[in-house]
Amino acid sequence: MKLSKKQAVFENEVLMRFELFNSLFMTLPFYQVKHTGTLLPFFTTHCERGVAEKLDPEATIESFFEQYEQYIGESDRIDLLFRIIQYIERQVVLFDAVEDAAFRKTGRSDEAGLLDSVFKQTESNKELRSKLVKKLNDFSLRLVLTAHPTQFYPGPVLAIITDLTEALKKNDIHNIHLLLQQLGKTPFMKKNKPTPVDEANSLVWFLENVFYPVASAIQSKIDDEFDLPIDENKQLIELGFWPGGDRDGNPNVTVDSTRRVALLLRTILFRCYYRDFRMLKRRITFSGVEKYMDVLQDLFYENSFNPSDNPENEKPAIIHNLKEIKRVLVEYHDGLFVELVDDLLRKVKTFGCFFATLDIRQDSSIIRQTHAYLREKHVSAIGIAADFEQLSEAAKQQAFKFEAHDLSYDESAAALVADTLDVIRSIKDIQRFGGERAAHRFIISNCQQASDIFELMELFLWSGWDSGSLFIDFVPLFETVDDLTRAADVMQALYTHPYYTAHLKRRGNQQTIMLGFSDSTKDGGYLMANWSIYKAKIELTAIARQHDIDLVFFDGRGGPPARGGGKTQRFYASMGQEIANDHIQLTIQGQTISSQYGSLDSARYNIEQLLHAGLTSHIGRKDGDTLSVEKKQLIEYMAHVSHEQFLALRHDPLFLKYLERFSPLKLLSQINISSRPVKRNSDKELRLEDLRAISFVTSWSQLKQNIPGFYGVGSALKKAEDTGKWEQVKELYETSGMFKTVIDNCMMSMSKSNFDLTSYIQHDEVFGGFWKKMREEYERTKQYVLKLSGSKVLMENYPVERESIAMREKIVLPLLIIQHYAIRKLQKGGLEEHDREVFAKLVTRTIYGVVNAGRNLA
């Protein structure tokens, strides 16, 4: 009854209202597109019929144009296709806005996931309340915004979405009409590739307009409920930031962009403070506070509108003056408006002068290259043996001296070596004007051995830092399946090394480890990637507890299940006793930022979901969440079967050729959405290992095959049944939150797949068999996940999400037909250069709408 009620609300509040406003949108007389709105419904129906009849995209589009005499010329046809793309891009925005406006009414997930339910449980249960307070003192949630290239809306469009959502909430028809007209005339495309600073500017919009008010409101709610002491060095909700700091595989990130982004974050934060202070100033007009208010007025204004290139950390001064104002209000003015002062105090203690921690990330190979450069250039000062590279890992660990030097480089240094040394020095400056939390983490990608960490530590010591003031957390990132199996050995070597042990002690005995979903999925397939990470967490937790280390897992999760996304909060709620879960840290990537954190309502909801997951996994842990030996063996068995299936597909000589021929993979580099190259080693021939996971997942999602999100799962479940293990698998699904979430997220990936769209490939002489193999695994997986979940349709238990996905897929189907039509035209060759450019542009333009509509496709 509850599910059908939710579904009815969604249909009334979202689907019906979308159809209503879409019909209005279709009649708007935009420049040169007055007939497009009339033709689009016919084109959509024609595409649906073409897919149902398994026609290839050329046949579908050409048969449509044969019905309309005015589109005989090729240029007229191409022009109409571009106009259809423009309309559909904006339809997606309209659907987003209608759905976001109805967010509170539709109750997108289980209401029990909100904090209020936890508070109610503790009202009459003192033991539970004390447990929760203890957990709150130890717990933290860090959301890290990344610059991954799947956030396509430019700033003006984001602002329209925000205003349109508000107008839809109020049913303000006049404003809705005006905003739809504005939407129709506002460009969606960026003419130039963004710089890392441009990317930061785009994401700062979310910090300023969403995270600043929401994070502090939730903190206030919890503080008021439990009367927790405010500790400015320990926050419940923290923010992290990667644009400008993440240089792994992105040569466009330089020390200049890192510094500019740090200053940008600071300036935007002070503008937030200044807006709050102006409200404070309007209310606190009493005697005795003038001098403190004057100091704050100057401080907030100057840092907001005349920011220095070399500022100071003003946090102590701000806190001092706010506390003095509070003292005067309490002593002389009956505490009037003291809550406004407390609110600003809380924000300053939370965000300091930095807003979000700027993480620095670089690949281990660059760290090794930089260490080798200084070793060779300053051999007499450093005194490390010339044969260092040839030493065993154990011998390398013995060779490190960890001595402080102030070493330089010259023009002979490679660009990435120079940047690494420059950014290490720059971090000290960022900490000076923003505080230690402004930049205190250096993440080492592709970390394979303990010496990777030690080399980076020595680079700091050789660049003006010393051991006693090395306020840096060194964060290894383990991503591939092989790296995950070695992770425990790497951490054991670190925890038993005297220098690293002493460093950790100075850092509060807290160690952060980043685990990446993206490359492990590309490397090992969906089930093996999830199990490898889960298993690594168990091993890493055991070692950390053995050495009394406060372990923090930082999960590199993307939008779709193939990159660790999906119903993320359910993963954290199901961590058993064997996995450290006192802190939740995860990346928020691409369009997941706008879809889950784009409005105050959705951001508050999703943050509270994660907080609830972390808190309840500790105080209300379910027996089935801590896996027995038998259950681990069962998952291990299925993961290996799945892995074998995925590797067989990946090692097929047609694998990469298929992606290159039928997906828009080769054209992703032409999209002006990211400063980051589509692949590592961008000047060399494409190899699968160099292909970025985002490009890999995006290509499959544009084909509507979503291989990284399900392939091998069906074979694993079938093998389990064939070997008499089906009852154990059913029990595992019913008792393990982790395994249930893996399967449920797999169903989400499959709900966004549509093999009928590419069914024409089955007749291809070269690739027909390859396509059939993937289709068979899809059908096998669908059969078994439905059987396992006791469902008749995919995502049966999530009817609201299922209907949302179905509507989005319907909206973008014409884009996919146009995209595949253009790809086939390009593949056939024989085109003039101008025509090649036109068809390539058709492909790239469709990618935007498809990914934005999916919200967590890439």
Side-chain angles (χ1 to χ4, degrees), residues 807-834:
M807 190 64 195
R808 290 172 182 280
E809 295 300 313
K810 179 182 172 71
I811 291 170
V812 299
L813 181 64
L815 292 183
L816 293 160
I817 297 294
I818 293 170
Q819 180 187 113
H820 294 190
Y821 164 74
I823 288 173
R824 280 171 70 87
K825 286 284 191 183
L826 288 167
Q827 288 286 353
K828 284 187 175 178
L831 296 172
E832 298 288 332
E833 185 59 32
H834 172 265

PDB file of all heavy atoms in Angstrom, residues 807-834:
ATOM      1  N   MET A 807      11.064   7.596 -17.317  1.00  0.00           N
ATOM      2  CA  MET A 807      10.712   8.852 -17.989  1.00  0.00           C
ATOM      3  C   MET A 807      11.947   9.503 -18.591  1.00  0.00           C
ATOM      4  O   MET A 807      11.909  10.020 -19.717  1.00  0.00           O
ATOM      5  CB  MET A 807      10.042   9.813 -16.989  1.00  0.00           C
ATOM      6  CG  MET A 807       9.440  11.034 -17.657  1.00  0.00           C
ATOM      7  SD  MET A 807       8.084  10.557 -18.768  1.00  0.00           S
ATOM      8  CE  MET A 807       7.891  12.054 -19.714  1.00  0.00           C
ATOM      9  N   ARG A 808      13.037   9.475 -17.879  1.00  0.00           N
ATOM     10  CA  ARG A 808      14.279  10.069 -18.397  1.00  0.00           C
ATOM     11  C   ARG A 808      14.761   9.316 -19.641  1.00  0.00           C
ATOM     12  O   ARG A 808      15.224   9.926 -20.608  1.00  0.00           O
ATOM     13  CB  ARG A 808      15.360  10.040 -17.312  1.00  0.00           C
ATOM     14  CG  ARG A 808      15.084  10.998 -16.171  1.00  0.00           C
ATOM     15  CD  ARG A 808      16.057  10.821 -15.014  1.00  0.00           C
ATOM     16  NE  ARG A 808      15.710  11.742 -13.942  1.00  0.00           N
ATOM     17  CZ  ARG A 808      16.041  13.027 -13.920  1.00  0.00           C
ATOM     18  NH1 ARG A 808      16.766  13.528 -14.906  1.00  0.00           N
ATOM     19  NH2 ARG A 808      15.669  13.807 -12.934  1.00  0.00           N
ATOM     20  N   GLU A 809      14.647   7.991 -19.609  1.00  0.00           N
ATOM     21  CA  GLU A 809      15.053   7.204 -20.775  1.00  0.00           C
ATOM     22  C   GLU A 809      14.173   7.527 -21.980  1.00  0.00           C
ATOM     23  O   GLU A 809      14.654   7.580 -23.119  1.00  0.00           O
ATOM     24  CB  GLU A 809      14.989   5.705 -20.456  1.00  0.00           C
ATOM     25  CG  GLU A 809      15.969   5.236 -19.391  1.00  0.00           C
ATOM     26  CD  GLU A 809      17.417   5.487 -19.764  1.00  0.00           C
ATOM     27  OE1 GLU A 809      17.799   5.176 -20.903  1.00  0.00           O
ATOM     28  OE2 GLU A 809      18.170   6.003 -18.921  1.00  0.00           O
ATOM     29  N   LYS A 810      12.901   7.757 -21.745  1.00  0.00           N
ATOM     30  CA  LYS A 810      11.974   8.111 -22.832  1.00  0.00           C
ATOM     31  C   LYS A 810      12.351   9.463 -23.437  1.00  0.00           C
ATOM     32  O   LYS A 810      12.354   9.635 -24.657  1.00  0.00           O
ATOM     33  CB  LYS A 810      10.548   8.159 -22.275  1.00  0.00           C
ATOM     34  CG  LYS A 810       9.472   8.531 -23.291  1.00  0.00           C
ATOM     35  CD  LYS A 810       8.113   8.600 -22.614  1.00  0.00           C
ATOM     36  CE  LYS A 810       7.039   9.147 -23.537  1.00  0.00           C
ATOM     37  NZ  LYS A 810       6.672   8.209 -24.614  1.00  0.00           N
ATOM     38  N   ILE A 811      12.711  10.426 -22.564  1.00  0.00           N
ATOM     39  CA  ILE A 811      13.058  11.764 -23.045  1.00  0.00           C
ATOM     40  C   ILE A 811      14.285  11.727 -23.949  1.00  0.00           C
ATOM     41  O   ILE A 811      14.335  12.399 -24.985  1.00  0.00           O
ATOM     42  CB  ILE A 811      13.294  12.727 -21.851  1.00  0.00           C
ATOM     43  CG1 ILE A 811      11.970  13.001 -21.111  1.00  0.00           C
ATOM     44  CG2 ILE A 811      13.905  14.051 -22.321  1.00  0.00           C
ATOM     45  CD1 ILE A 811      12.152  13.736 -19.786  1.00  0.00           C
ATOM     46  N   VAL A 812      15.303  10.938 -23.555  1.00  0.00           N
ATOM     47  CA  VAL A 812      16.578  11.000 -24.295  1.00  0.00           C
ATOM     48  C   VAL A 812      16.683   9.985 -25.431  1.00  0.00           C
ATOM     49  O   VAL A 812      17.671  10.005 -26.158  1.00  0.00           O
ATOM     50  CB  VAL A 812      17.798  10.818 -23.357  1.00  0.00           C
ATOM     51  CG1 VAL A 812      17.831  11.910 -22.314  1.00  0.00           C
ATOM     52  CG2 VAL A 812      17.827   9.435 -22.727  1.00  0.00           C
ATOM     53  N   LEU A 813      15.680   9.136 -25.609  1.00  0.00           N
ATOM     54  CA  LEU A 813      15.781   8.143 -26.686  1.00  0.00           C
ATOM     55  C   LEU A 813      16.089   8.789 -28.043  1.00  0.00           C
ATOM     56  O   LEU A 813      16.963   8.307 -28.774  1.00  0.00           O
ATOM     57  CB  LEU A 813      14.495   7.308 -26.756  1.00  0.00           C
ATOM     58  CG  LEU A 813      14.503   6.214 -27.837  1.00  0.00           C
ATOM     59  CD1 LEU A 813      15.581   5.169 -27.559  1.00  0.00           C
ATOM     60  CD2 LEU A 813      13.137   5.540 -27.944  1.00  0.00           C
ATOM     61  N   PRO A 814      15.416   9.887 -28.427  1.00  0.00           N
ATOM     62  CA  PRO A 814      15.762  10.518 -29.711  1.00  0.00           C
ATOM     63  C   PRO A 814      17.222  10.976 -29.779  1.00  0.00           C
ATOM     64  O   PRO A 814      17.842  10.915 -30.853  1.00  0.00           O
ATOM     65  CB  PRO A 814      14.804  11.720 -29.792  1.00  0.00           C
ATOM     66  CG  PRO A 814      13.658  11.349 -28.917  1.00  0.00           C
ATOM     67  CD  PRO A 814      14.249  10.557 -27.802  1.00  0.00           C
ATOM     68  N   LEU A 815      17.772  11.423 -28.655  1.00  0.00           N
ATOM     69  CA  LEU A 815      19.187  11.825 -28.648  1.00  0.00           C
ATOM     70  C   LEU A 815      20.081  10.648 -28.991  1.00  0.00           C
ATOM     71  O   LEU A 815      21.065  10.786 -29.735  1.00  0.00           O
ATOM     72  CB  LEU A 815      19.587  12.380 -27.271  1.00  0.00           C
ATOM     73  CG  LEU A 815      18.994  13.705 -26.802  1.00  0.00           C
ATOM     74  CD1 LEU A 815      19.596  14.083 -25.462  1.00  0.00           C
ATOM     75  CD2 LEU A 815      19.223  14.805 -27.818  1.00  0.00           C
ATOM     76  N   LEU A 816      19.764   9.492 -28.439  1.00  0.00           N
ATOM     77  CA  LEU A 816      20.581   8.298 -28.686  1.00  0.00           C
ATOM     78  C   LEU A 816      20.496   7.855 -30.144  1.00  0.00           C
ATOM     79  O   LEU A 816      21.501   7.466 -30.741  1.00  0.00           O
ATOM     80  CB  LEU A 816      20.131   7.169 -27.760  1.00  0.00           C
ATOM     81  CG  LEU A 816      20.418   7.420 -26.266  1.00  0.00           C
ATOM     82  CD1 LEU A 816      19.544   6.535 -25.399  1.00  0.00           C
ATOM     83  CD2 LEU A 816      21.881   7.196 -25.961  1.00  0.00           C
ATOM     84  N   ILE A 817      19.291   7.936 -30.709  1.00  0.00           N
ATOM     85  CA  ILE A 817      19.138   7.574 -32.124  1.00  0.00           C
ATOM     86  C   ILE A 817      19.959   8.533 -32.988  1.00  0.00           C
ATOM     87  O   ILE A 817      20.672   8.104 -33.909  1.00  0.00           O
ATOM     88  CB  ILE A 817      17.647   7.621 -32.534  1.00  0.00           C
ATOM     89  CG1 ILE A 817      16.834   6.584 -31.740  1.00  0.00           C
ATOM     90  CG2 ILE A 817      17.499   7.405 -34.038  1.00  0.00           C
ATOM     91  CD1 ILE A 817      17.173   5.142 -32.046  1.00  0.00           C
ATOM     92  N   ILE A 818      19.892   9.825 -32.685  1.00  0.00           N
ATOM     93  CA  ILE A 818      20.668  10.823 -33.443  1.00  0.00           C
ATOM     94  C   ILE A 818      22.169  10.557 -33.289  1.00  0.00           C
ATOM     95  O   ILE A 818      22.933  10.603 -34.254  1.00  0.00           O
ATOM     96  CB  ILE A 818      20.315  12.255 -32.980  1.00  0.00           C
ATOM     97  CG1 ILE A 818      18.876  12.595 -33.348  1.00  0.00           C
ATOM     98  CG2 ILE A 818      21.271  13.283 -33.591  1.00  0.00           C
ATOM     99  CD1 ILE A 818      18.358  13.892 -32.724  1.00  0.00           C
ATOM    100  N   GLN A 819      22.592  10.252 -32.056  1.00  0.00           N
ATOM    101  CA  GLN A 819      24.007  10.006 -31.791  1.00  0.00           C
ATOM    102  C   GLN A 819      24.515   8.804 -32.593  1.00  0.00           C
ATOM    103  O   GLN A 819      25.552   8.878 -33.262  1.00  0.00           O
ATOM    104  CB  GLN A 819      24.225   9.753 -30.299  1.00  0.00           C
ATOM    105  CG  GLN A 819      25.668   9.477 -29.922  1.00  0.00           C
ATOM    106  CD  GLN A 819      25.797   9.057 -28.461  1.00  0.00           C
ATOM    107  OE1 GLN A 819      26.146   7.926 -28.165  1.00  0.00           O
ATOM    108  NE2 GLN A 819      25.520   9.968 -27.549  1.00  0.00           N
ATOM    109  N   HIS A 820      23.801   7.706 -32.533  1.00  0.00           N
ATOM    110  CA  HIS A 820      24.238   6.494 -33.221  1.00  0.00           C
ATOM    111  C   HIS A 820      24.154   6.664 -34.738  1.00  0.00           C
ATOM    112  O   HIS A 820      24.972   6.098 -35.471  1.00  0.00           O
ATOM    113  CB  HIS A 820      23.420   5.294 -32.737  1.00  0.00           C
ATOM    114  CG  HIS A 820      23.678   4.959 -31.299  1.00  0.00           C
ATOM    115  ND1 HIS A 820      23.225   3.807 -30.702  1.00  0.00           N
ATOM    116  CD2 HIS A 820      24.360   5.626 -30.336  1.00  0.00           C
ATOM    117  CE1 HIS A 820      23.623   3.789 -29.435  1.00  0.00           C
ATOM    118  NE2 HIS A 820      24.299   4.891 -29.194  1.00  0.00           N
ATOM    119  N   TYR A 821      23.178   7.441 -35.197  1.00  0.00           N
ATOM    120  CA  TYR A 821      23.073   7.775 -36.626  1.00  0.00           C
ATOM    121  C   TYR A 821      24.327   8.530 -37.077  1.00  0.00           C
ATOM    122  O   TYR A 821      24.946   8.194 -38.089  1.00  0.00           O
ATOM    123  CB  TYR A 821      21.816   8.625 -36.830  1.00  0.00           C
ATOM    124  CG  TYR A 821      21.741   9.378 -38.139  1.00  0.00           C
ATOM    125  CD1 TYR A 821      21.461   8.718 -39.334  1.00  0.00           C
ATOM    126  CD2 TYR A 821      21.913  10.765 -38.171  1.00  0.00           C
ATOM    127  CE1 TYR A 821      21.363   9.418 -40.530  1.00  0.00           C
ATOM    128  CE2 TYR A 821      21.821  11.473 -39.358  1.00  0.00           C
ATOM    129  CZ  TYR A 821      21.544  10.799 -40.544  1.00  0.00           C
ATOM    130  OH  TYR A 821      21.459  11.493 -41.724  1.00  0.00           O
ATOM    131  N   ALA A 822      24.734   9.529 -36.288  1.00  0.00           N
ATOM    132  CA  ALA A 822      25.903  10.332 -36.641  1.00  0.00           C
ATOM    133  C   ALA A 822      27.193   9.512 -36.563  1.00  0.00           C
ATOM    134  O   ALA A 822      28.088   9.664 -37.405  1.00  0.00           O
ATOM    135  CB  ALA A 822      25.987  11.557 -35.724  1.00  0.00           C
ATOM    136  N   ILE A 823      27.296   8.635 -35.577  1.00  0.00           N
ATOM    137  CA  ILE A 823      28.493   7.780 -35.453  1.00  0.00           C
ATOM    138  C   ILE A 823      28.614   6.878 -36.675  1.00  0.00           C
ATOM    139  O   ILE A 823      29.700   6.706 -37.232  1.00  0.00           O
ATOM    140  CB  ILE A 823      28.438   6.950 -34.149  1.00  0.00           C
ATOM    141  CG1 ILE A 823      28.676   7.855 -32.935  1.00  0.00           C
ATOM    142  CG2 ILE A 823      29.495   5.832 -34.174  1.00  0.00           C
ATOM    143  CD1 ILE A 823      28.474   7.160 -31.590  1.00  0.00           C
ATOM    144  N   ARG A 824      27.487   6.309 -37.116  1.00  0.00           N
ATOM    145  CA  ARG A 824      27.517   5.428 -38.298  1.00  0.00           C
ATOM    146  C   ARG A 824      27.908   6.193 -39.554  1.00  0.00           C
ATOM    147  O   ARG A 824      28.642   5.689 -40.402  1.00  0.00           O
ATOM    148  CB  ARG A 824      26.159   4.731 -38.469  1.00  0.00           C
ATOM    149  CG  ARG A 824      26.026   3.524 -37.533  1.00  0.00           C
ATOM    150  CD  ARG A 824      24.622   2.959 -37.546  1.00  0.00           C
ATOM    151  NE  ARG A 824      24.279   2.293 -38.792  1.00  0.00           N
ATOM    152  CZ  ARG A 824      24.527   1.013 -39.079  1.00  0.00           C
ATOM    153  NH1 ARG A 824      25.186   0.260 -38.211  1.00  0.00           N
ATOM    154  NH2 ARG A 824      24.133   0.489 -40.221  1.00  0.00           N
ATOM    155  N   LYS A 825      27.437   7.428 -39.659  1.00  0.00           N
ATOM    156  CA  LYS A 825      27.822   8.262 -40.805  1.00  0.00           C
ATOM    157  C   LYS A 825      29.336   8.492 -40.801  1.00  0.00           C
ATOM    158  O   LYS A 825      29.996   8.426 -41.838  1.00  0.00           O
ATOM    159  CB  LYS A 825      27.096   9.611 -40.741  1.00  0.00           C
ATOM    160  CG  LYS A 825      25.622   9.548 -41.102  1.00  0.00           C
ATOM    161  CD  LYS A 825      25.436   9.427 -42.606  1.00  0.00           C
ATOM    162  CE  LYS A 825      23.998   9.636 -43.021  1.00  0.00           C
ATOM    163  NZ  LYS A 825      23.805   9.444 -44.484  1.00  0.00           N
ATOM    164  N   LEU A 826      29.874   8.761 -39.614  1.00  0.00           N
ATOM    165  CA  LEU A 826      31.324   8.995 -39.499  1.00  0.00           C
ATOM    166  C   LEU A 826      32.105   7.725 -39.801  1.00  0.00           C
ATOM    167  O   LEU A 826      33.183   7.763 -40.407  1.00  0.00           O
ATOM    168  CB  LEU A 826      31.665   9.494 -38.092  1.00  0.00           C
ATOM    169  CG  LEU A 826      31.224  10.932 -37.767  1.00  0.00           C
ATOM    170  CD1 LEU A 826      31.319  11.185 -36.266  1.00  0.00           C
ATOM    171  CD2 LEU A 826      32.077  11.943 -38.521  1.00  0.00           C
ATOM    172  N   GLN A 827      31.574   6.577 -39.368  1.00  0.00           N
ATOM    173  CA  GLN A 827      32.277   5.306 -39.573  1.00  0.00           C
ATOM    174  C   GLN A 827      32.360   4.944 -41.056  1.00  0.00           C
ATOM    175  O   GLN A 827      33.337   4.346 -41.507  1.00  0.00           O
ATOM    176  CB  GLN A 827      31.558   4.177 -38.820  1.00  0.00           C
ATOM    177  CG  GLN A 827      31.714   4.244 -37.306  1.00  0.00           C
ATOM    178  CD  GLN A 827      33.091   3.825 -36.841  1.00  0.00           C
ATOM    179  OE1 GLN A 827      33.901   3.363 -37.626  1.00  0.00           O
ATOM    180  NE2 GLN A 827      33.361   4.009 -35.559  1.00  0.00           N
ATOM    181  N   LYS A 828      31.332   5.293 -41.823  1.00  0.00           N
ATOM    182  CA  LYS A 828      31.293   4.913 -43.234  1.00  0.00           C
ATOM    183  C   LYS A 828      32.338   5.655 -44.047  1.00  0.00           C
ATOM    184  O   LYS A 828      32.778   5.186 -45.089  1.00  0.00           O
ATOM    185  CB  LYS A 828      29.893   5.175 -43.802  1.00  0.00           C
ATOM    186  CG  LYS A 828      28.894   4.116 -43.349  1.00  0.00           C
ATOM    187  CD  LYS A 828      27.559   4.280 -44.033  1.00  0.00           C
ATOM    188  CE  LYS A 828      26.638   3.130 -43.656  1.00  0.00           C
ATOM    189  NZ  LYS A 828      25.294   3.280 -44.259  1.00  0.00           N
ATOM    190  N   GLY A 829      32.753   6.834 -43.576  1.00  0.00           N
ATOM    191  CA  GLY A 829      33.790   7.585 -44.283  1.00  0.00           C
ATOM    192  C   GLY A 829      33.263   8.219 -45.561  1.00  0.00           C
ATOM    193  O   GLY A 829      32.055   8.239 -45.844  1.00  0.00           O
ATOM    194  N   GLY A 830      34.200   8.754 -46.342  1.00  0.00           N
ATOM    195  CA  GLY A 830      33.832   9.401 -47.601  1.00  0.00           C
ATOM    196  C   GLY A 830      33.205  10.764 -47.436  1.00  0.00           C
ATOM    197  O   GLY A 830      32.614  11.310 -48.374  1.00  0.00           O
ATOM    198  N   LEU A 831      33.290  11.344 -46.231  1.00  0.00           N
ATOM    199  CA  LEU A 831      32.682  12.647 -45.983  1.00  0.00           C
ATOM    200  C   LEU A 831      33.698  13.765 -46.203  1.00  0.00           C
ATOM    201  O   LEU A 831      34.899  13.592 -45.971  1.00  0.00           O
ATOM    202  CB  LEU A 831      32.172  12.728 -44.533  1.00  0.00           C
ATOM    203  CG  LEU A 831      31.042  11.778 -44.129  1.00  0.00           C
ATOM    204  CD1 LEU A 831      30.810  11.867 -42.616  1.00  0.00           C
ATOM    205  CD2 LEU A 831      29.756  12.104 -44.868  1.00  0.00           C
ATOM    206  N   GLU A 832      33.198  14.907 -46.628  1.00  0.00           N
ATOM    207  CA  GLU A 832      34.043  16.098 -46.692  1.00  0.00           C
ATOM    208  C   GLU A 832      34.395  16.522 -45.266  1.00  0.00           C
ATOM    209  O   GLU A 832      33.683  16.199 -44.313  1.00  0.00           O
ATOM    210  CB  GLU A 832      33.296  17.243 -47.400  1.00  0.00           C
ATOM    211  CG  GLU A 832      32.915  16.948 -48.846  1.00  0.00           C
ATOM    212  CD  GLU A 832      34.119  16.946 -49.759  1.00  0.00           C
ATOM    213  OE1 GLU A 832      35.105  17.649 -49.444  1.00  0.00           O
ATOM    214  OE2 GLU A 832      34.082  16.223 -50.781  1.00  0.00           O
ATOM    215  N   GLU A 833      35.471  17.294 -45.106  1.00  0.00           N
ATOM    216  CA  GLU A 833      35.914  17.717 -43.775  1.00  0.00           C
ATOM    217  C   GLU A 833      34.807  18.459 -43.022  1.00  0.00           C
ATOM    218  O   GLU A 833      34.576  18.230 -41.827  1.00  0.00           O
ATOM    219  CB  GLU A 833      37.160  18.606 -43.904  1.00  0.00           C
ATOM    220  CG  GLU A 833      37.778  19.012 -42.561  1.00  0.00           C
ATOM    221  CD  GLU A 833      38.212  17.804 -41.719  1.00  0.00           C
ATOM    222  OE1 GLU A 833      38.605  16.768 -42.307  1.00  0.00           O
ATOM    223  OE2 GLU A 833      38.145  17.904 -40.494  1.00  0.00           O
ATOM    224  N   HIS A 834      34.090  19.343 -43.742  1.00  0.00           N
ATOM    225  CA  HIS A 834      33.012  20.101 -43.097  1.00  0.00           C
ATOM    226  C   HIS A 834      31.921  19.169 -42.580  1.00  0.00           C
ATOM    227  O   HIS A 834      31.400  19.334 -41.466  1.00  0.00           O
ATOM    228  CB  HIS A 834      32.416  21.117 -44.088  1.00  0.00           C
ATOM    229  CG  HIS A 834      31.179  21.786 -43.562  1.00  0.00           C
ATOM    230  ND1 HIS A 834      29.897  21.332 -43.855  1.00  0.00           N
ATOM    231  CD2 HIS A 834      31.027  22.852 -42.727  1.00  0.00           C
ATOM    232  CE1 HIS A 834      29.013  22.096 -43.239  1.00  0.00           C
ATOM    233  NE2 HIS A 834      29.673  23.035 -42.558  1.00  0.00           N
TER     234      HIS A 834
END
